[in-house]
């Protein structure tokens, strides 16, 4: 029997195969129930999803655990401090889902601006009465101002796509991103200037203590009435109740959301609004990205047990012994 790995729910086979080829004994948990029942004591590696909250309570049940290889780039679902205290390595899957998530961000942006869901619904309902000069008039995207909050991998990939739309690109982040500036002509501005000037604002920060509710009522009020907000980062970067209020009262023109504060639940009233496009957290949902995420997570576990520093280690660990 090889070292035991718990994958909390089924993932693309490529990752599972990599682990089995290396002699690991892989268990795949039942959807949503990986931690209830069963003996967790034997596992030395855990491959959780972003929906699995990995906290002190879980870690106490897993005394032999050495590595948590998250199946996501975001790792706000893991109590990093608790893991580090126990000398457990934590890894993520950066890079391999950047382009897929940037594409989806643009899909939301375009769907919002050009009323794509409304048009599709109208056609299916048999309500298209022929070409009409006043039918489904949306917003222009070309030449407008895009505001990127969180100019990292995905934020930069979203900005690059905006070059083809001749957009003015603003960004807000804690650090200067010279590569982004050189490649796209993006300008770094302060938070309020971005909120006040952008026609489309796209969120790409990780969810941390600093970014929770980064967009709340005062920030929504600073945005233009004609502006759109797109979120493919984490739901709690926006106060969703404040967003519903802003959308109802016309503080902003619309929102495109792939992520929500209390997934899979939506804030009351959100789904009743016409000026939102809602997606079920599918930013990285391409066959290619999800396969590469599985391979990356498995690769991190293999690195670790073969004595290498895992390629995507996110916590500071002493791996010398
Ligand atoms: P990344 O490369 O680490 O980018 C994050 C950016 O946010 C960096 O530029 C970082 O720069 C900046 N940042 C961090 N804290 C900040 C703060 N307090 N204020 C302002 N800027 C801050 O991560 P990524 O790969 O682009 O992924 C971003 C996030 O997208 C992930 O954490 C995840 O939650 C989400 N995501 C969602 C999906 C989906 O399915 N919808 C898919 C993939 C990722 P500094 O640290 O230099 O400030
Ligand atoms: C997806 O949301 C991720 O963080 O990978
Ligand atoms: C629209 O279909 C046009 O030809 O202008």
């Amino acid at each position: 029997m090889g070292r035991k790995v718990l994958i909390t729910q089924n993932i693309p086979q490529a990752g599972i195969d990599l682990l089995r080829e290396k002699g690991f004994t892989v268990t795949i948990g039942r959807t949503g129930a990986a931690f209830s029942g069963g003996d967790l004591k034997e596992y030395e590696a855990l491959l959780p999803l972003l929906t699995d909250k990995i906290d002190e309570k879980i870690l106490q049940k897993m005394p032999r655990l050495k590595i948590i290889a998250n199946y996501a780039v975001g790792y706000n679902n893991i109590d990093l401090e608790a893991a580090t205290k126990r000398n457990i390595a934590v890894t993520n899957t950066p890079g391999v889902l950047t382009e897929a998530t940037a594409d989806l961000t643009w899909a939301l942006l375009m769907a919002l601006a050009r009323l794509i869901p409304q048009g599709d619904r109208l056609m299916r309902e048999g309500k298209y009465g022929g070409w009409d000069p006043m039918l489904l008039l949306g917003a222009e995207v070309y030449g407008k101002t895009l505001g990127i909050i969180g100019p990292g991998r995905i934020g930069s990939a979203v900005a690059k796509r905006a070059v083809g739309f001749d957009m003015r690109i603003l960004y807000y982040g804690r650090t200067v991103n010279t590569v982004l500036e050189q490649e796209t002509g993006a300008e770094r501005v302060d938070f309020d200037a971005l909120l006040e000037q952008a026609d489309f604002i796209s969120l790409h920060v990780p969810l941390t203590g600093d970014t929770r509710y980064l967009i709340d009522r005062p920030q929504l009020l600073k945005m233009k009435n004609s502006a759109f907000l797109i979120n493919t980062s984490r739901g709690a970067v926006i106060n969703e109740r404040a967003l519903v209020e802003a959308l109802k009262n016309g503080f902003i023109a619309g929102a495109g959301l792939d992520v929500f504060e209390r997934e899979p639940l939506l804030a009351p009233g959100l789904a009743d609004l016409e000026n939102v496009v809602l997606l079920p957290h599918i930013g990285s949902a391409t066959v290619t990205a999800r396969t590469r995420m599985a391979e990356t997570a498995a690769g991190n576990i293999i690195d670790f047990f073969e004595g290498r520093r895992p390629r995507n280690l996110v916590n500071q660990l002493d791996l010398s012994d």
Side-chain angles (χ1 to χ4, degrees):
M1 280 263 281
R3 293 177 188 274
K4 292 187 73 178
V5 181
L6 175 62
I7 303 180
T8 59
Q9 195 172 307
N10 200 28
I11 60 167
Q13 194 60 37
I16 301 167
D17 288 347
L18 276 179
L19 289 166
R20 290 197 170 134
E21 279 159 22
K22 290 283 183 181
F24 289 91
T25 302
V26 178
T27 303
I28 299 166
R30 274 183 301 119
T31 305
F35 299 113
S36 56
D39 197 355
L40 297 172
K41 281 197 197 66
E42 299 306 309
Y43 295 108
E44 291 187 72
L46 177 64
L47 196 160
L49 310 186
L50 58 91
T51 44
D52 296 313
K53 191 169 162 31
I54 310 300
D55 55 12
E56 182 59 32
K57 226 171 73 197
I58 298 285
L59 298 183
Q60 275 173 13
K61 293 184 190 169
M62 306 188 84
R64 300 190 64 194
L65 194 63
K66 295 185 180 62
I67 177 167
I68 303 167
N70 213 32
Y71 186 72
V73 63
Y75 47 85
N76 54 288
N77 57 310
I78 299 171
D79 184 339
L80 216 57
E81 213 182 294
T84 308
K85 226 181 274 167
R86 289 168 179 267
N87 213 32
I88 296 170
V90 177
T91 64
N92 66 345
T93 62
V96 295
L97 41 51
T98 296
E99 304 305 339
T101 309
D103 284 348
L104 190 91
T105 305
W106 268 91
L108 269 176
L109 190 158
M110 295 299 286
L112 250 185
R114 298 303 302 270
L115 308 167
I116 304 291
Q118 289 87 335
D120 182 77
R121 219 173 302 136
L122 181 123
M123 298 304 284
R124 291 169 195 270
E125 289 171 356
K127 291 183 180 160
Y128 178 44
W131 198 81
D132 176 346
M134 303 308 284
L135 181 64
L136 291 176
L137 304 186
E140 295 266 331
V141 175
Y142 182 87
K144 291 295 177 77
T145 299
L146 174 67
I148 299 286
I149 297 183
R153 287 174 291 254
I154 299 169
S156 299
V158 169
K160 273 193 189 175
R161 285 157 175 71
V163 174
F165 283 81
D166 276 346
M167 292 177 100
R168 176 178 178 223
I169 304 166
L170 306 177
Y171 76 94
Y172 163 71
R174 295 181 300 193
T175 37
V176 179
N177 186 334
T178 31
V179 175
L180 173 66
E181 291 180 8
Q182 280 159 8
E183 286 185 350
T184 69
E187 271 170 73
R188 183 166 179 239
V189 293
D190 68 34
F191 191 37
D192 283 355
L194 185 144
L195 293 170
E196 286 160 11
Q197 294 175 35
D199 299 302
F200 296 91
I201 294 181
S202 193
L203 303 176
H204 301 287
V205 287
L207 177 61
T208 64
D210 291 337
T211 62
R212 184 175 296 274
Y213 284 9
L214 189 65
I215 304 292
D216 206 332
R217 194 171 192 276
Q219 291 71 38
L220 291 160
L221 281 167
K222 284 198 176 107
M223 288 174 62
K224 294 185 190 180
N225 297 148
S226 57
F228 296 93
L229 180 64
I230 295 117
N231 190 10
T232 59
S233 63
R234 282 291 180 269
V237 174
I238 301 178
N239 177 344
E240 209 168 292
R241 283 174 185 268
L243 177 64
V244 171
E245 186 208 353
L247 290 163
K248 271 190 182 157
N249 295 311
F251 301 168
I252 67 171
L257 308 172
D258 184 44
V259 288
F260 304 88
E261 227 185 303
R262 279 173 287 273
E263 289 178 29
L265 303 176
L266 303 182
L270 186 61
D272 301 326
L273 298 168
E274 259 305 301
N275 51 349
V276 295
V277 179
L278 308 174
L279 293 178
H281 203 152
I282 53 169
S284 66
T286 67
V287 174
T288 302
R290 290 283 166 86
T291 301
R292 292 180 70 196
M293 286 164 69
E295 290 166 348
T296 304
N300 279 309
I301 293 174
I302 294 165
D303 282 349
F304 182 88
F305 287 108
E306 290 188 347
R308 294 183 295 274
R309 188 180 176 80
R311 60 199 84 170
N312 307 118
L313 188 68
V314 296
N315 56 345
Q316 302 291 324
L317 273 200
D318 179 10
L319 293 176
S320 49
D321 54 356

